[in-house]
Amino acid sequence: MSPNAIYRRMSYILHYAPDNASLAVRLALEQRGLPYKAVLVDRKQAEQSGPAYRQLNPNGLIPVLETPQGPLFETGAILLWLADTHGQLGPAPDAPERGDFLKWLFFVANTLHPAERMLFYPEKFIAPDHATALRAGLTQHLHQSFTTLDAAAALRPDWLGGTAPTVLDFYVAALLRWPALYPADHDRSWFRLGVYPALQRVCAKIESLPATIALQQAEGLGDTPFTAPRHPNPPIGSAT
């Protein structure tokens, strides 16, 4: 049996928490119709910092995807692995648009996602008396980054906002959801999705997919999780 056939038969294990970065991975799994088991990482009990979880991801971050090649962590790496392993979630390695897809996927993973993490959890990166200044700088940085990404999406490439959703679409939709909701103790008026019309279209498209409907139920995301987000009400677990 070929490796690809084995992967098609494989039931993955996704270690997740509601409305965390695992959201983008779960969307990809659902969109591609891949069998998987969702295992809750209880953030209220700080399970992500416990020894059992750190055996899977020594960095203690969510998500982890268990695969035939062992556990994968880092959201961008998991998404790219799924796209390359199963196809139909992004340009193939020999496709002409592959380079553009990769540069924006890595921009999202290396620039946008870490900036949001610092915005939401400044205490992990800086002394408390500097948190306000850090957040002010990050909101400006994120606005400029979203503006740059919006300009790319406005070109309507196949790999962002195109006919078939890609892992980049899922990653971007998640990163556009969270600034509307988090952090609860900080002014979020800087973020308005409508300022980025091409990215707003990406969110609306992802919101209409059956894959999103499955997550609305599993993670309590509400009926407009990307275009008009509300705080999640998951049946189990906690987003924070």
Side-chain angles (χ1 to χ4, degrees), residues 203-220:
C203 287
K205 182 171 183 176
I206 298 304
E207 199 168 83
S208 68
L209 296 174
T212 300
I213 295 173
L215 263 71
Q216 290 170 344
Q217 299 169 351
E219 300 193 13

Side-chain angles (χ1 to χ4, degrees), residues 119-123 131-132 135 181-188 231:
L119 178 67
F120 303 155
Y121 308 107
E123 70 280 0
T132 299
R135 281 174 161 170
L181 301 174
Y182 309 108
D185 63 345
H186 182 68
D187 179 15
R188 300 185 302 281
H231 285 280

Side-chain angles (χ1 to χ4, degrees), residues 76-144:
I78 297 171
L79 292 172
L80 182 57
W81 187 89
L82 287 172
D84 284 354
T85 300
H86 295 284
Q88 301 181 29
L89 292 170
D94 59 350
E97 62 272 22
R98 173 73 168 191
D100 282 337
F101 169 74
L102 288 177
K103 73 185 181 185
W104 289 110
L105 178 63
F106 278 75
F107 172 74
V108 168
N110 294 344
T111 300
L112 283 178
H113 197 170
E116 288 196 10
R117 188 164 181 263
M118 286 188 283
L119 178 67
F120 303 155
Y121 308 107
E123 70 280 0
K124 296 180 181 293
F125 303 94
I126 200 168
D129 54 339
H130 295 295
T132 299
L134 175 64
R135 281 174 161 170
L138 286 168
T139 56
Q140 295 178 21
H141 171 67
L142 282 165
H143 169 64
Q144 182 56 57

